[in-house]
Structure formats: structure tokens, C-alpha cells
Amino acid sequence: MNMITTTAKASMCLGPSSGGGFVMRQIPRRKPAADEVEVAVAAASVNPIDVHRAQGYGRRLLSLLGASRFPMVLGNDLAGTVTSVGTGVSRFQLGDCVYGLKPTSAEGTHASHVLVKANYLLPVPEGQDPLALAALPYCFVTMWLAISGAGLTRENASGKSVLVHGAAGGLGTLALQMLSEWGAKVTAIAWPSNFDACIGAGAADVVDCTKKPFASLGRSFDVTLNFATWDDDLLLLGCLRDGALGHATTVHPMLRNFDELGWTRAVLSTLSDKKRHRSTLPKGVKHYAWTLFRPDEAALSELRRLVEQNDISLPIGLIRSLEDAAEAFEHVSKGKPGRALLKP
Ligand SMILES: NC(=O)c1ccc[n+]([C@@H]2O[C@H](COP(=O)([O-])OP(=O)(O)OC[C@H]3O[C@@H](n4cnc5c(N)ncnc54)[C@H](OP(=O)(O)O)[C@@H]3O)[C@@H](O)[C@H]2O)c1
């Protein structure tokens, strides 16, 4: 006989006071709101942001989302099976296989059952492995927001030269795959040991990040993307040509400024950091963006298209049970190859 449980199990992160430790808890399962679906999680990914949040990173700004008080459940994306459907949802039915994401909150996806807005879920295509899709949504949406922040779209990308720093990471790998499918010519900055992976993901050219390559690349790119380190942001801006489309970075200091400086000084410091970098842009560059993750339906729609064409994927390096979340977090914090998944 199938027992319907009224509680979910969750890996609760205890926060920096415990060194970023975890404890398993039973938490109540709630009925989905009208626009929500409950998903029985098959797998949820651990991203670098989860590792940083476990150490208290972002706590001041994320407190505005109720996402900074420990213990809390981390995790933004998931794949699984629909177990309950809100009254206003017609896109999904019980038993549907789905993948998708949640905005950053204290009720993340590292749990057995999760409530998700139906608009942030996609159907797993017939014959595809849901586990292979669980690590895509958060990374993909952030990458897509960065690329659109830099002024690139599927419509204007063909023939554009794009320089990607951090090209072998999660965001970088997805950017290489999507931009090559869009017809852009992508140069990947990465460690030499990752050159083959970058070319396999669609890079037209690879550059050794250990050789401080920025000056020799010249002012020749239409778009630069920084997924690696804020320390190199100005050097990347120097690779844009006059009249280029733009630049985006996911590794800006905004959250850290708020953590370290308090509200007022953080606002001033953030505005001044941004202005200082923007002022170095070559003539006529239109876009300069600091990307912050948020769910985005246009990005999810592009993810769906690429998944259905089998044109997008990330290697999975480790799968652990929720009870062993600490091992998955260690895998990510040590920068080991492949994404880490948690399975209830
Ligand atoms: N702002 C936001 O909302 C947001 C959202 C998602 C992600 N992020 C951030 O965006 C970054 C990329 O995310 P991800 O998931 O792609 O991370 P990831 O998988 O860890 O990839 C980061 C890549 O950048 C490379 N890298 C890091 N520091 C470098 C340096 N100093 N020089 C050269 N290469 C360097 C890494 O190489 P090695 O591992 O070999 O060093 C790795 O290939 C992370 O810092 C993440 O925290 C921000």
C-alpha cells in the first residue's frame, strides 16, 4: 500500500556558526498555492552559490528575500515528479516528469518534496534522463541573463566574436554550447587541461588563463563574459572593440559589499565599483551588466528548446544522498570536475 506522507525530509544547512554543516529534518508538506506544483525531487544540484551561502555569503541582501536565517534549505534547481497541482495550474498533471528552479529562498530544493511555481518548471522530454537535467536550470538561467545583459540574443548572435572567461565551469560550458548553436564565434579562456572540453562544448578558439592573455587578445571582441574572477574584469573590458555590444559579469562584488560594509557604504561602494569599470569601456559599447540570478521564463523557454534538441548538457561529477550533502558541498568547494547532485 502507498502511504501518503505529510512531511518531507530536508537537508538543513546550519550556517557559518557550524562551519556550514547540515542536519536532516522532517518538515511539513504544504498544499500548493494556485500557481504552484509540488514536486517529489529525484535530484537537486549543488552550485557554488550554495557553498558560499552555507558560509554566510550574501546574507545581508538575501535577508530581503527571507533567505539568510539558518537553519535553512539551500538549492535552486531540481528534477522530479509532480505529486500535487495547484488549482490554477493546467500545464502539469500528477506523475509528470519535470525539471526547473525556484528563486533563492530559505525553502530550497535540497529536500524530498518541494513547492515550485508551475511557470518555472519544464517537462522532461520523452526518453531523457531527469537526473541529467537537474543541474541545468540555475546555471543556464544565470548564463542566459548574463548573455542578454551583454546585449546578445539568438537573433543577433550569428558571427559575433565572444570572449568567455571561466569557460570550463558550469556557466561557461553552457555559454559555449548555446552561443555556438546561435552561430557566434566563441573564444574560451580556461586552463590547458580543459581545452578539449571547451572545444567539445563549441569553442572556436581556446586561450590559456595562466598566461595572462588579455593584452595579447587585443580590442577585438563584440562581447566579453566574466564567469571567473572580478580581479580580471577590467582586463576583459579592455578586449572589447569600439562599438562592441557589451560585457556582463556574474562575479561582481555586490553581495560581498553588502556583507562587509553595511547598507549605506555598500550602496556607495557598489555604485562606485560599477561606475569605475563602466568608465573604462571602449567608445560606443552599449551594455555593461552585473548579473544576479532570478527565475526568467524567456531563459527557461530557450533551455527547453536546447534540451529538446539535445544541444545542452553539463557533466555530472558526483551524486550523493541528501544525508551526505556535506560530501557534495565539498566536491563543489574544491572545484572538482562535474556538477554535484543530491538525491533524496
Ligand atoms: N551573480 C549571480 O547571481 C551568480 C549566479 C551563478 C553563479 N555565479 C558565480 O559565477 C561564477 C561561475 O559560476 P559556475 O557555476 O560556472 O562556477 P564554476 O563551475 O566553479 O566555474 C568557474 C570557472 O571559473 C574558473 N576560474 C575561477 N577563478 C579563476 C581565476 N582566478 N582564473 C581563471 N579561471 C578561474 C574556474 O576554474 P578552476 O575551477 O579550474 O579554478 C572554473 O572553470 C561563480 O563564481 C559563481 O559563484 C553568480
Side-chain angles (χ1 to χ4, degrees), residues 48 138 142 165-166 168-171 191 227-229 250-251 291-293 339:
Y138 175 80
T142 307
H165 194 17
L171 302 185
W191 301 91
F227 302 141
T229 168
T250 61
V251 288
T291 306
L292 264 186
F293 164 77
R339 308 309 276 188

Side-chain angles (χ1 to χ4, degrees), residues 3 80 104 116 126 131 143 149 161 174 243-244 255 288 290 303 324 337:
M3 293 282 288
T104 300
V116 190
E126 192 74 37
L131 259 56
M143 176 280 293
S161 56
L174 296 180
L255 270 69
Y288 174 69
W290 286 14
L303 173 61
D324 294 323

Side-chain angles (χ1 to χ4, degrees), residues 90-167:
S90 53
R91 298 170 59 200
F92 297 108
Q93 297 179 346
L94 294 191
D96 283 353
C97 214
V98 292
Y99 64 110
L101 51 72
K102 294 189 64 151
T104 300
S105 74
E107 297 182 351
T109 57
H110 297 167
S112 63
H113 297 77
V114 173
L115 293 176
V116 190
K117 286 209 185 307
N119 287 355
Y120 301 157
L121 287 172
L122 300 170
V124 173
E126 192 74 37
Q128 290 208 27
D129 176 8
L131 259 56
L133 304 180
L136 291 179
Y138 175 80
C139 253
F140 183 90
V141 168
T142 307
M143 176 280 293
W144 187 97
L145 290 170
I147 281 172
S148 63
L152 261 184
T153 64
R154 182 142 65 96
E155 290 69 38
N156 72 9
S158 181
K160 295 282 188 309
S161 56
V162 183
L163 182 62
V164 180
H165 194 17

Side-chain angles (χ1 to χ4, degrees), residues 232-280:
D232 290 342
D233 214 62
L234 285 173
L235 296 167
L236 275 167
L237 297 182
C239 298
L240 288 167
R241 62 170 178 77
D242 286 348
L245 269 180
H247 171 86
T249 176
T250 61
V251 288
H252 51 76
M254 186 192 292
L255 270 69
R256 195 182 63 223
N257 283 346
F258 280 86
D259 288 342
E260 292 175 359
L261 304 174
W263 293 105
T264 312
R265 282 175 58 217
V267 170
L268 296 175
S269 182
T270 298
L271 290 173
S272 129
D273 287 340
K274 207 164 177 180
K275 192 169 163 197
R276 182 165 48 88
H277 280 228
R278 196 193 282 277
S279 71
T280 71

Side-chain angles (χ1 to χ4, degrees), residues 296-308:
D296 184 285
E297 290 178 41
L300 285 169
S301 153
E302 180 62 5
L303 173 61
R304 178 179 185 168
R305 188 185 74 83
L306 292 166
V307 163
E308 287 175 358

